[in-house]
Every structure is written in C-alpha cells, then in structure tokens.
Amino acid sequence: MREIETKYRVRDLDTLLAALEATGVKPAEAVLQDDQAYASKGWDASMGKVGHTFARLRTLNGETHVFTTKTPLANSMECVEFETTIANREQMHGAIMAMGFEPTVRIVKHRRTGEAGRIGVCVDLVEGLGAFLELELMVDDDRDGPAAQSELDEWARGLGVELERTDHTYDILLLTAKT
C-alpha cells in the first residue's frame, strides 16, 4: 500500500472542527499516540527523506503497539507503507535497533480521525507543535502521488479555514523546532 497525504498547521481548531462537521466529517474521540521515530544509522535531516526507509513504533492509548515502516517516493508525504500490530514495544524497539535503525525523535499527539469519502481526515494536537489537519489516501494503484496531493489540497482549501500547508512530517518539524 501507498499512503499519500497532505498536512496543514491549524490556527483556529474550533473553526476547523466546525468546518469539518459542516462537510459531514465527525472526528472520533481523541486517541493518544506515542510514537518513537527511527532512521537508518548515519541518516540526518539534511539528506532528505525520499528513498530512505524509516521506522515508527506507536503505542495507542498506552495499550496497543503498532510497528510501521515508510519509504518516501516522490516526496516525504507519499510513502510505501507496511504496518502491523505487535505484542511487545520493548522487544520491537530492540529488534528495530538490531536492524540498523536508531531513534530520532519522540512524537506525542492526540489524534481525532474521521472520513470524507475515501479521504482519511486526522485532527492532531502535537505536543511541542500545536494543532494540525492531515488528509490521507491509502492506495494500491499507480496513481500519481503529487497529483493526488493536489486533489487533497483542493479539498482542504474548500473548507474555507485558514490553513498553512507544510511538506514536512512531524518528526522533521520537531527536529527543526529543537534547533
């Protein structure tokens, strides 16, 4: 599967939530996502993300653990993604380290999800960064990623809410904020 997404910094969360509801999107209750991001040893942000595989270890509400790898294609918001639930976070952390990855940044967020047809809608409150809107498509075809991102952007702009689009993932935004 490929994940194609767009991400936006949100200035007024209440206005966004009202606009989403007006379009029929009703985000679910927030879920706490505690993510540890990993990159291959020797990778740094100046190298960019395209062509590199990254790992993530996520815990949902302190209970369920999910392991994910993402390999960006045309840009950091279009990735080949593999994901599975795991039983033991600490053991998976050790396995990730043994595979030649190293921790980069911890991302803690409260995520509310909904759907607008085939578009996944995520409203995130990211510790250290603030509020974001993320739109996602999961596809198993050969559609053009940047063209799909343009369609997602058009949908977001149709909400009529002040949004600031970013081409960076949360890990890069957090790493940049630390420097």
Side-chain angles (χ1 to χ4, degrees):
M1 294 293 289
R2 278 188 308 141
E3 177 187 62
I4 301 170
E5 63 184 20
T6 56
K7 189 182 309 284
Y8 306 86
R9 188 176 298 273
V10 176
R11 302 260 181 250
D12 185 339
L13 184 56
D14 291 333
T15 300
L16 171 66
L17 291 171
L20 288 171
E21 188 162 328
T23 66
V25 177
K26 295 175 180 51
E29 291 298 315
V31 172
L32 175 63
Q33 294 184 344
D34 180 356
D35 296 352
Q36 178 61 61
Y38 300 84
S40 297
K41 286 183 182 167
W43 179 88
D44 70 62
S46 68
M47 298 168 73
K49 292 186 101 176
V50 172
H52 298 274
T53 297
F54 298 87
R56 178 183 67 212
L57 189 52
R58 170 174 286 166
T59 299
L60 302 164
N61 283 340
E63 298 173 357
T64 304
H65 310 294
V66 180
F67 172 67
T68 306
T69 63
K70 294 187 177 194
T71 306
L73 300 172
N75 56 57
S76 64
M77 300 282 181
E78 178 195 7
C79 300
V80 172
E81 181 176 302
F82 296 96
E83 187 168 86
T84 190
T85 302
I86 57 159
N88 186 303
R89 182 177 173 122
E90 291 76 27
Q91 287 294 309
M92 192 68 220
H93 170 78
I96 294 168
M97 301 292 286
M99 287 184 271
F101 288 89
E102 56 190 11
T104 56
V105 67
R106 193 84 173 244
I107 305 156
V108 178
K109 64 183 173 286
H110 297 268
R111 172 170 277 184
R112 297 177 65 187
T113 60
E115 293 181 354
R118 58 189 180 88
I119 299 171
V121 178
C122 303
V123 178
D124 295 332
L125 291 174
V126 183
E127 290 183 12
L129 293 177
F132 288 81
L133 170 67
E134 189 173 287
L135 302 177
E136 304 175 337
L137 289 174
M138 294 301 293
V139 301
D140 61 358
D141 57 29
D142 62 352
R143 79 181 71 192
D144 181 77
Q149 288 168 329
S150 292
E151 293 172 22
L152 291 172
D153 188 58
E154 185 177 317
W155 189 91
R157 301 295 172 194
L159 292 171
V161 176
E162 183 181 347
L163 299 170
E164 177 188 334
R165 186 171 174 181
T166 180
D167 293 328
H168 297 297
T169 54
Y170 291 136
D171 58 337
I172 297 299
L173 291 171
L174 283 165
L175 287 170
T176 303
K178 289 181 179 182
T179 57

